[in-house]
Amino acid sequence: MALPKAELHLHIEGTLEPDLAFELAGRNGVSLPYGSVEELAAQYRFYDLQSFLDLYYATMDVLRTGDDFAELTRRYLARASEQGVRHVELFFDPQAHVARGVRIEEVVDGIGAALDEAERDLGITSGMILCFLRDEPVESADRILSAGLTRTDRVIGVGLDSAEVGYPPALFEAVYRRAREAGLHVVAHAGEEGPAGYVREALDLLGAERIDHGIRSIEDPELVARLAHERIALTVCPLSNLRLRAVPDLADHPLHRLDEAGVAVTINSDDPSYFGGYIGDNFVAVRDALGLSADQASRFARNAIEASFAPEKRKAELLQELEAWRG
Ligand code: HPA
Ligand code: ZN
């Protein structure tokens, strides 16, 4: 049996596999600038965050209808289930879709329909986290928050993603305040390519409950101690960090050093279609490059359950499943 996992850092648009991209392009009459699935797959080579984002935003153009979002999410959930995912809090980027003329209701209802099916058929529980694109104007974030606040039946929180350097968390202080006051959970990408100072800002100015990536915190020992003391989980994505060259080699990844310092490290997949693996593959990659004992693996899985926004009763069930796995 696979280690039971909660996935806390997963962009649903980043699960778009080349074959589905072509299928949806055909269905929707969208032309992709590649001749074949293989040719598209060959583009999945990156040298930094921006080189990935360029392809990520271009390819998601094939997503047009609620059914497209449902099919995308269904395919992710099937693979996630095979790799032991029992709970997922997935990110989505509504500004990118609204800008293409897709209504946010299509996005939310499409993803939501697949999440309901997965709860019924696979026993996977879930929530949706609306991400603001930090390289878009803050007014745009404010407008999409207003739209999101009409859908708190599905949206449990907000996050912050896209190009990091030059777009510090401070820009979004007021938007985050409004989200918190509306009762939403708040997380933020910080310290992926950006400096440890952005992680501090995300905590101090945004009130972030978890930090997505956060690996550059390792450069600031005082911050590391604070993350450990305040039990702020980091949603680490090893294969993403490798593919986007946030670390030169997986063997240099700081996740064990963060863990040893008492930080609540979790392992996640980020954009699994683009980075060469789903969550279980990330655990395997860590094991192969850095070593991963059963104790460490189950600690990372427990950290994710505890850092999730699942109701306490569901967390208790998941912790029990984890205990059963440990035997
Ligand atoms: N970082 C920032 N923005 C993103 C990412 C990421 O890893 N994936 C999708 N949007
Ligand atoms: Zn991410």
Side-chain angles (χ1 to χ4, degrees):
M1 188 182 90
L3 172 70
K5 301 173 186 76
E7 177 143 64
L8 305 180
H9 188 157
L10 180 279
H11 302 264
I12 196 62
E13 298 89 347
T15 69
L16 181 56
E17 294 282 348
D19 60 341
L20 181 60
F22 266 86
E23 217 178 295
L24 297 180
R27 189 154 104 186
N28 293 327
V30 174
S31 75
L32 286 169
Y34 310 103
S36 65
V37 170
E38 292 70 31
E39 207 183 305
L40 173 55
Q43 310 302 312
Y44 285 24
R45 309 171 149 267
F46 313 108
Y47 50 87
D48 62 6
L49 175 57
Q50 191 61 53
S51 64
F52 154 70
L53 290 170
D54 291 344
L55 186 65
Y56 169 81
Y57 290 123
T59 311
M60 70 170 74
D61 191 31
V62 302
L63 297 163
R64 294 295 171 97
T65 68
D67 283 347
D68 298 343
F69 284 92
E71 186 57 24
L72 175 74
T73 307
R74 225 175 257 131
R75 293 196 191 191
Y76 159 69
L77 289 161
R79 300 188 74 152
S81 180
E82 283 169 13
Q83 299 202 358
V85 171
R86 309 290 302 128
H87 178 81
V88 57
E89 292 171 8
L90 63 80
F91 296 134
F92 69 114
D93 285 333
Q95 281 159 290
H97 306 305
V98 169
R100 297 183 290 109
V102 179
R103 291 183 317 119
I104 190 170
E105 287 75 17
E106 295 279 319
V107 182
V108 172
D109 290 334
I111 296 170
L115 292 175
D116 286 349
E117 286 169 22
E119 179 154 7
R120 188 188 63 217
D121 301 339
L122 304 170
I124 297 177
T125 51
S126 59
M128 294 175 60
I129 297 180
L130 181 162
C131 277
F132 304 121
L133 303 183
R134 67 203 307 158
D135 49 353
E136 290 292 322
V138 69
E139 295 74 23
S140 169
D142 211 50
R143 280 194 299 274
I144 208 74
L145 174 60
S146 297
L149 287 176
T150 68
R151 295 308 310 269
T152 51
D153 56 321
R154 294 278 187 199
V155 176
I156 62 166
V158 297
L160 188 62
D161 67 3
S162 205
E164 183 182 8
V165 175
Y167 302 97
L171 295 170
F172 296 89
E173 190 174 356
V175 183
Y176 266 69
R177 185 178 316 114
R178 197 153 78 86
R180 285 199 317 274
E181 285 172 0
L184 291 178
H185 287 290
V186 300
V187 300
H189 282 53
E192 178 186 17
E193 284 191 342
Y198 282 18
V199 176
R200 288 179 177 272
E201 271 188 26
L203 298 174
D204 293 335
L205 303 182
L206 306 185
E209 297 167 77
R210 303 190 296 246
I211 298 292
D212 299 309
H213 293 297
I215 57 171
R216 287 194 62 194
S217 303
I218 197 72
E219 297 167 21
D220 181 342
E222 243 178 62
L223 174 60
V224 169
R226 175 180 176 188
L227 293 169
H229 183 249
E230 296 181 13
R231 291 302 284 171
I232 303 289
L234 300 186
T235 64
V236 174
C237 307
L239 285 172
S240 164
N241 296 152
L242 178 69
R243 293 297 183 97
L244 302 187
R245 305 193 191 172
V247 295
D249 194 284
L250 266 194
D252 304 311
H253 201 286
L255 92 169
H256 281 324
R257 281 174 279 152
L258 290 161
D259 176 52
E260 282 154 20
V263 176
V265 169
T266 70
I267 293 184
N268 309 270
S269 67
D270 207 6
D271 301 281
S273 161
Y274 290 89
F275 301 147
Y278 287 74
I279 189 171
D281 306 312
N282 274 269
F283 274 82
V284 169
V286 168
R287 187 195 65 200
D288 292 350
L290 292 160
L292 187 69
S293 67
D295 274 352
Q296 286 170 320
S298 68
R299 180 162 61 250
F300 297 154
R302 175 160 35 83
N303 289 342
I305 295 167
E306 288 173 347
S308 79
F309 302 135
E312 290 306 319
K313 180 163 167 289
R314 178 61 177 155
K315 286 193 194 185
E317 278 172 14
L318 294 168
L319 289 170
Q320 230 167 24
E321 286 187 28
L322 184 59
E323 279 310 305
W325 178 85
R326 284 165 61 88

